[in-house]
Amino acid sequence: MQTIMVYSESGGVSKTTTAVSLAMTAALAGKRTLLIDLDPRGAATDWLDLKPIAPGYHVGAILGSDEDLTGVAEELAVQSPWNENLRFIPSDRSVANREAERVDFAELRLSDSLEGLSAEVVIIDCPNRQGGLLTQSALTASDTVVYAATANRDGVKGFEGAQTSVLKFKAARKKMGTPSVLKEAGIVVSNFKDTVTSSVAKLAMQEFETTGLLIYPAVPQRVILENVRYSNEWVHLYRKGDPIRHAYEKIGEKVFR
Ligand SMILES: Nc1ncnc2c1ncn2[C@@H]1O[C@H](COP(=O)(O)OP(=O)(O)OP(=O)(O)O)[C@@H](O)[C@H]1O
Ligand SMILES: [Mg+2]
């Protein structure tokens, strides 16, 4: 099983778009996939429009439980009608309260809940938090990090902050004698204006390029993305969605093991 967190410390830089799209790309390629919405603002939950299996059985039920969590992700996973291989754990506004959790080792809960899960790929849509229980839980549960970015100042800043958090986390785990297996898959740029590329976008792409982490191609900006999001669909049903679908297929080849 590969567990991928989609992360940036900036808001509005395509984290949710990339998490949802990579999950659908994996599912369409025949991989049993679980998408987890770890953001209390629940943008992925709105997009997929799926309710928990019962009231309260969202991702907060994992983060707030001190019981044995083995197998709980499997229990909470809701089937998506988009594809037979795609299941989903929704989020909820109340998940924000979990950030105040002061119980020791609470950051292990998400990882524990994935034990015994029958999925080949898990994708976590992260909030743009710097530290805190939500981000720590994702860092602890994941073996792969994808930095989501836009080709502008916010995208670059969000990547730099996220990478600092990842490297700090790895250094701390090494010091504790329990090295993390988390690896950087790279930077995925989405919402990219491919018709007229501004000087800001060119500069941002150069900065990403110098890190050696930029994954090609950039996902082009297309109105269909906003439309499918609004109608609780993904782009695969529409010809106009092909540029986005094809870009994520290429990106998937570099991200999925
Ligand atoms: N390829 C694209 N084409 C058109 N619009 C896009 C594309 N990628 C992202 N967007 C739009 O950009 C906006 C921000 O994207 P998204 O919600 O994925 O970012 P985010 O980083 O998850 O934001 P937040 O910090 O609020 O969680 C959304 O309105 C989304 O529809
Ligand atoms: Mg989001």
Side-chain angles (χ1 to χ4, degrees), residues 5 10 17 35 39 42 55 94 105 158 197 245 250 253:
M5 61 186 284
S10 285
T17 301
L35 174 65
D39 189 340
S94 63
F105 309 117
T197 309
R245 183 164 58 87
K250 290 247 162 56
E253 285 169 19

Side-chain angles (χ1 to χ4, degrees), residues 22 25 188 215-219 242-256:
L22 283 178
T25 303
V188 172
I215 301 179
Y216 286 99
V219 182
D242 285 353
I244 289 179
R245 183 164 58 87
H246 292 151
Y248 277 111
E249 276 167 7
K250 290 247 162 56
I251 290 162
E253 285 169 19
K254 286 161 201 157
V255 170
F256 302 134

Side-chain angles (χ1 to χ4, degrees), residues 12 14-17 39 41 43-44 125-127 229:
S14 304
K15 293 180 297 294
T16 299
T17 301
D39 189 340
R41 281 159 59 234
D125 183 20
C126 292
R229 197 161 164 160

